[in-house]
Amino acid sequence: MSSPSHTTPSHTTPSHTTPSHTPLNRTDPLVLGIETSCDETGIGIVRGTTLLANVIASSMDEHARYGGVVPEVAARAHLEEMSPAIHAALAEAGIRLDEIDAVSVTSGPGLAGALMVGVGAAKALAIALDKPIYAVNHLVGHVGADLLATGADGASEPLQYPTIALLVSGGHTSLLLVRDLTGDVELLGETIDDAAGEAFDKVARVLGLPYPGGPHIDRLAAAGNPKAIRFPRGLTLPKDMAKHRYDFSFSGLKTAVARWVEKAQDAGEEVPVADVAASFREAVVDVLLGKAIAACADYGVPRLLLGGGVVANARVRELAAERTAAAGIELRIPPLSLCTDNGAMIAALGAQLIMAGNEPSSLDFGADSTLPVTEIQVR
Amino acid sequence: MLLAIDTSAGTSVAIVDRDRGILAERSEVDTMRHAEVIGGMIQAVLDESAVARAELSGVVAGMGPGPFTGLRVGIAAARTFALALGRPLVPIVSHDAIAFAHFAAEAAGVAGARTAPLLVVTDARRREVYWSAYSGVDELGLPVRLDGPGLAKPDALPALALDAFDAFDGAFERLDAAEISAGALGMVAELSFAAGRPFTADEPLYLRSPDVTPSNGPKRVTR
């Protein structure tokens, strides 16, 4: 996204690509969001910051026998789930399709073939309805999810900015500094190899546990000793912290766990699965929270927002609560249904862009598997 | 009137009318830009034809055969457009559009065109091709598919064709196509619909399984 100019000439350039002929509702827009960046087909409907529908069709079961997300399997599932999910979301929201003010869709980052299904569907939907389209960033969408958690029931105050956001899933491990949801998001660091969720899946396989690994490791770890085995904390040594202060690495940890387990097996010992699970989980969560809290301190930002499917992990939430409390940092964790990939967060970000006065995206955007977080909306 | 979309090769979008033929058509041969160009092309044919959305009685989707990634973009777009209009999706085998256009050119007496059984061949990538065998046209001018669509290694095609065109003493013409006209696709749908012919299933014709094998468990990291 081009940074806003402070020397705007007196005239504003009209949008040549806005298909809609009626003025856009910019106070409380009804937005349908489409998310297909990985293995979840998500259709969400929001009105402003009020969540009306959040339908998620996951192809996770189809990936289980392959031990991980297979892009082609995911993309095929998106195509089959798209129309049923749109129908289900409309029913859940109790609205007609022609009532919506705009369509919002994930343009990236994510799996290219999967993203393209959503992009094709969203463009056709917007044109058929003669409504504007907003192409948005998936990772920034995760941050936007928090707005829906507070908007509906008013149980807590809206998120203040700036905030640090830690997004952890099977595909991403990213630390963001969000100064303004629709205008200023900076990537502080990300994984340089495996995503945290991927490490859980791979270690689960080493321990003979099914995919996805997170819930199984979490369950076993509850009965284990997190200090039984000291597994390495990636990129936390002083020399690494100089260059990769906010970056993550979980590949070495995964290999360390595999070596430890193989050594025990080769010695004919019984593998203490609960201790391995607990110690591995502790190593991941320790690094995640350590770096997130450091970012809060370094930037003087007393707010931390968590997002992504790995937030389902009990220890992530527990340690986040402990460490933020100790450091005087406000912790925000949206409900799990808004933390995993979903269309509601994409709709929420689209609504924010509309309320911020942004013009719609052109019809020419594509799927960008490596879309940077600085590009909040693809024009 | 119908909106027709095909992304089984490049991208092609058209508005067609049974009586007036192709009212507007846009095509892009690039096989790597389906998601980028499809929106602008749908908008363009609507604008150029000046057909109101409510006048469309359905949306035609070219179901392939086609390589995975691009094929899905057009089917996804056609399905959601149909959903938004509350009109039916009309699935058509993309090769039928190639055969229809070929035979229509023959009927119009285009120089060089001649009537013969037809083998349509398109690129399936990975050194394979998609093929369909047609005997000619029926009384409506619709292509009659004898066999296919199928997936084959290029060297296996002659034997396959000999088999498919057995009734014609193995005589046929081969047409290698790199483009599918959404206009032709739409006209196949219009004529089929008017004659009450059944359509193909609303399923993408990948003709290949996802390229993946089940996991055999973890690999050792220690040697």
Side-chain angles (χ1 to χ4, degrees):
Chain A
M1 194 173 90
S2 58
S3 56
S5 168
H6 296 291
T7 54
T8 312
S10 55
H11 71 279
T12 48
T13 313
S15 168
H16 299 288
T17 49
T18 311
S20 186
H21 306 297
T22 47
L24 186 52
N25 170 3
R26 289 196 184 272
T27 52
D28 222 7
L30 185 61
V31 181
L32 183 143
I34 298 180
E35 152 66 31
T36 63
S37 71
C38 191
D39 62 339
E40 255 104 19
T41 311
I43 305 294
I45 299 173
V46 307
R47 193 187 297 278
T49 56
T50 305
L51 176 65
L52 300 183
N54 185 17
V55 170
I56 300 169
S58 176
S59 58
M60 187 182 285
D61 292 347
E62 294 176 56
H63 304 286
R65 67 200 189 100
Y66 305 113
V69 173
V70 182
E72 176 61 21
V73 173
R76 288 186 182 196
H78 287 311
L79 180 59
E80 300 318 317
E81 295 297 340
M82 183 61 63
S83 297
I86 292 172
H87 280 300
L90 291 169
E92 193 173 308
I95 61 155
R96 292 190 323 271
L97 200 46
D98 60 11
E99 292 177 60
I100 68 165
D101 293 309
V103 175
S104 183
V105 63
T106 304
S107 175
L111 303 170
L115 288 165
M116 282 180 211
V117 177
V119 170
K123 286 182 179 180
L125 192 61
I127 298 167
L129 297 170
D130 201 11
K131 301 292 181 185
I133 190 166
Y134 286 77
V136 308
N137 188 301
H138 172 82
L139 287 172
V140 182
H142 273 297
V143 181
D146 185 75
L147 292 158
L148 301 175
T150 53
D153 55 7
S156 57
E157 291 296 306
L159 177 66
Q160 301 292 307
Y161 299 104
T163 185
I164 300 292
L166 173 65
L167 308 178
V168 196
S169 70
H172 306 281
T173 309
S174 307
L175 203 50
L176 314 183
L177 170 56
V178 184
R179 293 190 188 87
D180 172 2
L181 185 68
T182 60
D184 186 354
V185 180
E186 182 184 340
L187 180 72
L188 299 180
E190 61 187 338
T191 182
I192 61 169
D193 42 54
D194 293 349
E198 209 177 342
F200 272 94
D201 292 335
K202 288 176 176 174
V203 165
R205 214 185 313 178
V206 167
L207 295 176
L209 302 170
Y211 172 88
H216 298 282
I217 288 182
D218 213 24
R219 180 176 45 79
L220 280 174
N225 174 7
K227 293 181 178 162
I229 310 152
R230 176 75 192 175
F231 287 127
R233 269 66 170 161
L235 301 182
T236 56
L237 297 174
K239 68 176 169 66
D240 292 326
M241 286 298 273
K243 194 179 165 201
H244 293 288
R245 187 166 180 80
Y246 306 118
D247 288 331
F248 303 92
S249 167
F250 297 105
S251 176
L253 169 62
K254 168 204 69 190
T255 307
V257 174
R259 276 184 203 282
W260 196 95
V261 169
E262 284 167 15
K263 196 176 161 195
Q265 285 167 338
D266 291 350
E269 296 164 11
E270 193 181 326
V271 177
V273 180
D275 285 349
V276 173
S279 299
F280 159 73
R281 185 180 71 166
E282 197 64 12
V284 174
V285 177
D286 186 24
V287 175
L288 289 175
L289 271 308
K291 297 208 172 207
I293 302 280
C296 289
D298 296 347
Y299 286 90
V301 174
R303 283 170 290 275
L304 175 63
L305 170 73
L306 302 189
V310 175
V311 172
N313 192 290
R315 186 62 185 152
V316 172
R317 295 199 305 270
E318 191 179 87
L319 198 67
E322 273 175 35
R323 293 205 183 163
T324 51
I329 293 167
E330 181 197 354
L331 175 66
R332 311 280 293 217
I333 310 180
L336 192 60
S337 60
L338 293 171
C339 278
T340 52
D341 291 348
N342 66 86
M345 68 185 197
I346 300 306
L349 179 54
Q352 290 295 308
L353 291 164
I354 292 167
M355 290 188 277
N358 283 31
E359 288 302 315
S361 301
S362 82
L363 282 174
D364 308 325
F365 68 90
D368 185 346
S369 59
T370 60
L371 187 70
V373 296
T374 45
E375 208 166 335
I376 300 164
Q377 179 190 352
V378 180
R379 305 300 182 131
Chain B
M1 278 180 286
L2 298 168
L3 168 69
I5 299 174
D6 190 285
T7 56
S8 63
T11 305
S12 185
V13 180
I15 302 272
V16 299
D17 177 77
R18 195 184 67 200
D19 301 324
R20 291 182 291 159
I22 301 169
L23 304 183
E25 185 171 33
R26 288 285 184 285
S27 293
E28 163 62 59
V29 293
D30 194 332
T31 57
M32 300 296 285
R33 288 176 49 79
H34 303 101
E36 285 85 344
V37 301
I38 194 155
M41 288 167 70
I42 297 173
Q43 189 69 56
V45 297
L46 284 170
D47 292 347
E48 185 183 306
S49 66
V51 168
R53 290 154 177 78
E55 294 178 78
L56 296 169
S57 50
V59 182
V60 186
M63 303 309 289
F68 321 137
T69 307
L71 177 64
R72 277 190 287 269
V73 174
I75 297 174
R79 284 181 180 170
T80 51
F81 204 101
L83 187 159
L85 293 186
R87 298 275 194 257
L89 180 93
V90 184
I92 298 286
V93 175
S94 300
H95 280 183
D96 288 3
I98 298 169
F100 175 81
H102 176 83
F103 291 128
E106 286 181 355
V110 172
R114 55 193 179 79
T115 305
L118 181 70
L119 180 70
V120 169
V121 180
T122 55
D123 184 13
R125 305 215 180 127
R126 301 186 196 172
R127 297 192 189 125
E128 289 186 306
V129 294
Y130 294 120
W131 62 274
S132 295
Y134 297 86
S135 59
V137 291
D138 62 12
E139 70 282 3
L140 298 173
L142 286 167
V144 179
R145 188 158 16 94
L146 292 171
D147 203 355
L151 176 72
K153 300 274 182 209
D155 356 344
L157 267 186
L160 280 167
L162 216 55
D163 197 34
F165 296 112
D166 194 31
F168 302 86
D169 298 326
F172 68 93
E173 189 179 343
R174 173 175 168 158
L175 175 60
D176 285 85
E179 293 180 62
I180 283 95
S181 154
L185 190 84
M187 290 311 293
V188 171
E190 286 280 16
L191 295 173
S192 301
F193 186 72
R197 299 277 173 82
F199 299 112
T200 191
D202 178 13
E203 288 164 13
L205 296 165
Y206 301 119
L207 306 186
R208 265 194 201 121
S209 295
D211 204 5
V212 64
T213 49
S215 162
N216 292 320
K219 291 189 200 81
R220 276 187 69 91
V221 296
T222 330
R223 288 202 189 93

